[in-house]
């Protein structure tokens, strides 16, 4: 195996390959707790509760899940193993609906399993192939994030004020991240950016996770409430907005954390470039437009009680808690991928990117 894990990797495989070691992101920034995950229910829960989160990271995790499950069964009949894995993939796929990387990685592993079975592999050989493929998904993600960071950095200038929403850093991917990639790479190369992180209600990925990553990296960082972006833009403090994405439809509409589309509308009003950053695996050609993207709805208690000593809304109050929204392609200045910086019209540039590399 060529991939060398780092302590800071949000997910990695144990040396004996029996479990996945995952940083529990629900405990950050206060505690760095690592989970040891080997059972399907633990995997499902880790994704559902956002212990493992961020579209690319969920994809990498799902790749390992399939390998660890296959390894744990000890089944010698290949047909039986493949049908067990099919059930596992369906279960894990139902944990969160919006980020396409989850189903993308599960489908990729199922294709490996089915090809292996069709070519006459034994169960243990097939399991080894799943481990190899999981590591490939992880390695590819690291390489893609690096390219996204390079491509994004080419659009920024030393001294820029940047706004981010949610967390699209190394915690949400593997190293560098997508939305934070150009910032972290820029820091290594001597750029001084001033980054404003939306706290990102209701689960506070901006305040808890983006600030944690940027402060650790020594980046000049200020946490703001989500409703402060307009003021910052009006005051001329923001030269570009950088966000990640969970699914990009064929026409360029992009799903990302709830609140992203509002930031994009503000950026358009103030004439500020709005960049969406993500790997090619986040592009979903089978989803025609943003209207076709399923938006996850989460427990209302995340809004009413989760961060408070006392409930902050009456028990009887109705509460709506969509986890994502869709930014219309017309608001996106460029989609920055590992396969190049894509510009409108996105129907064409995305389809070209999916066919191969693009400068
Ligand atoms: O609900 P989360 O925390 O998984 O949402 C994450 C985001 O919205 C990220 O911006 C997106 O997954 C891209 S991560 C590189």
């Amino acid at each position: 195996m060529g991939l060398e894990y780092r302590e800071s990797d949000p997910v990695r495989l144990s040396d004996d390959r029996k479990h996945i070691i995952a940083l529990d992101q629900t405990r950050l920034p206060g505690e760095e707790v690592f989970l040891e995950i080997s059972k399907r229910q633990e995997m499902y829960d880790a994704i559902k509760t956002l212990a493992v989160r961020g579209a690319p990271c969920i994809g990498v995790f799902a790749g390992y899940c399939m390998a660890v499950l296959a390894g744990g069964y000890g089944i010698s009949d290949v047909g039986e193993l493949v049908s067990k894995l099919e059930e596992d993939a369906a279960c894990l796929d139902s944990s969160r609906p919006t980020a396409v990387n989850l189903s993308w990685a599960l489908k990729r592993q199922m294709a490996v399993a089915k090809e292996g079975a069709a070519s006459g592999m034994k169960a243990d050989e097939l399991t080894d192939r799943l481990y190899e493929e999981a590591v490939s998904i992880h390695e590819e993600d690291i390489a893609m994030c690096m390219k996204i960071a390079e491509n994004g950095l080419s659009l920024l200038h030393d001294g820029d004020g940047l706004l981010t929403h949610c967390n699209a850093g190394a915690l949400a991917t593997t190293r560098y991240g997508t939305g934070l990639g150009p910032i972290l790479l820029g820091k290594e190369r001597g750029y001084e950016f001033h980054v404003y992180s939306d706290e990102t209600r209701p689960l506070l990925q901006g305040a808890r996770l983006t600030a944690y990553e940027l402060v650790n990296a020594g980046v000049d960082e200020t946490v703001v409430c989500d409703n402060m972006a307009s003021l910052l833009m009006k005051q001329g403090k923001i030269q570009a907005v950088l966000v990640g994405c969970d699914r990009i439809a064929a026409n360029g509409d992009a799903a990302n954390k709830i609140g992203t589309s509002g930031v994009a509308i503000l950026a358009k009003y103030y004439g500020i470039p709005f960049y969406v950053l993500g790997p090619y695996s986040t592009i979903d050609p089978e989803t025609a437009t943003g209207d076709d993207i399923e938006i996850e709805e989460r427990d209302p208690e995340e809004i009413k009680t989760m961060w408070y000593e006392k409930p902050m809304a009456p028990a009887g109050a109705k509460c709506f808690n969509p986890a994502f929204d869709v930014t219309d392609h017309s608001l996106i200045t460029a989609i920055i991928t590992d396969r190049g910086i894509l510009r409108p019209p996105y129907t064409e540039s995305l389809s070209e990117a999916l066919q191969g590399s693009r400068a």
Side-chain angles (χ1 to χ4, degrees):
M1 183 170 85
L3 175 60
E4 283 192 20
Y5 293 123
R6 295 183 187 165
E7 276 271 316
S8 55
D9 287 333
V11 297
R12 60 186 197 273
L13 196 58
S14 64
D15 289 342
D16 62 7
R17 308 198 309 182
K18 289 195 172 145
H19 57 261
I20 304 162
I21 301 168
L23 177 62
D24 183 349
Q25 300 193 32
T26 65
R27 312 276 286 267
L28 291 173
E31 295 167 284
E32 289 177 4
V33 175
F34 288 89
L35 305 169
E36 293 190 351
I37 297 171
S38 57
K39 303 273 181 298
R40 183 171 88 185
Q41 189 61 43
E42 295 166 344
M43 294 165 180
Y44 178 95
D45 291 344
I47 302 173
K48 184 87 187 165
T49 61
L50 274 57
V52 173
R53 53 152 294 283
C57 185
I58 295 172
V60 170
F61 180 67
Y64 284 125
C65 287
M66 296 298 281
V68 167
L69 288 169
Y73 284 130
I75 295 174
S76 55
D77 183 275
V78 173
E80 195 189 331
L81 179 59
V82 172
S83 56
K84 274 272 191 202
L85 290 173
E86 227 152 6
E87 278 170 33
D88 294 333
C91 166
L92 295 177
D93 200 23
S94 68
S95 57
R96 293 191 81 190
T98 306
V100 71
N101 310 58
L102 173 60
S103 52
W104 173 86
L106 293 170
K107 277 185 203 149
R108 185 164 156 172
Q109 286 290 48
M110 279 317 301
V112 166
K114 285 179 184 167
E115 274 164 34
S119 69
M121 275 184 183
K122 293 191 184 127
D124 54 348
E125 292 169 329
L126 194 150
T127 301
D128 280 344
R129 272 291 297 121
L130 290 169
Y131 279 112
E132 270 172 36
E133 194 71 8
V135 172
S136 298
I137 292 173
H138 197 165
E139 283 174 326
E140 284 168 29
D141 198 71
I142 293 169
M144 288 192 294
C145 285
M146 189 66 196
K147 285 192 186 146
I148 292 167
E150 288 280 5
N151 289 336
L153 187 58
S154 73
L155 297 172
L156 305 179
H157 307 96
D158 192 23
D160 276 352
L162 305 170
L163 181 70
T164 69
H165 191 78
C166 195
N167 171 264
L171 290 169
T173 59
T174 46
R175 309 184 193 169
Y176 287 106
T178 57
L180 295 190
I183 298 169
L184 295 168
L185 185 65
K187 178 69 190 169
E188 284 177 10
R189 297 201 177 151
Y191 287 67
E192 287 303 334
F193 298 123
H194 190 103
V195 182
Y196 293 89
S197 307
D198 281 348
E199 65 173 350
T200 317
R201 284 280 292 158
L203 293 181
L204 307 182
Q205 288 92 334
R208 295 189 304 108
L209 308 177
T210 297
Y212 165 88
E213 287 196 56
L214 293 182
V215 167
N216 283 348
V219 174
D220 184 15
E221 144 81 13
T222 304
V223 177
V224 292
C225 298
D226 298 344
N227 53 6
M228 295 172 187
S230 173
L231 179 74
L232 292 173
M233 290 182 183
K234 188 171 178 155
Q235 289 178 340
K237 291 186 172 149
I238 307 296
Q239 278 65 59
V241 180
L242 305 179
V243 296
C245 50
D246 287 82
R247 190 184 295 252
I248 301 175
N251 71 342
D253 293 348
N256 192 49
K257 182 51 53 193
I258 189 73
T260 303
S261 68
V263 179
I265 292 165
L266 289 174
K268 181 90 169 179
Y269 180 81
Y270 287 108
I272 295 167
F274 183 90
Y275 299 124
V276 170
L277 297 92
Y280 84 92
S281 50
T282 308
I283 304 168
D284 180 8
E286 284 163 29
T287 297
T289 74
D291 291 343
D292 305 309
I293 299 177
E294 186 182 345
I295 301 293
E296 174 187 6
E297 212 176 307
R298 295 184 63 86
D299 185 349
E301 294 308 314
E302 290 179 346
I303 295 177
K304 292 206 271 188
T305 59
M306 189 156 173
W307 306 106
Y308 304 110
E309 247 175 62
K310 294 178 189 165
M312 279 299 128
K318 282 191 269 178
C319 209
F320 177 46
N321 187 13
F324 299 94
D325 61 21
V326 174
T327 299
D328 194 86
H329 60 276
S330 62
L331 301 170
I332 301 172
T333 311
I335 299 176
I336 302 171
T337 73
D338 51 302
R339 295 188 175 182
I341 298 169
L342 313 184
R343 303 272 182 184
Y346 291 118
T347 310
E348 275 120 78
S349 55
L350 286 166
S351 138
E352 269 180 54
L354 282 181
Q355 280 156 37
S357 288
R358 202 168 186 280

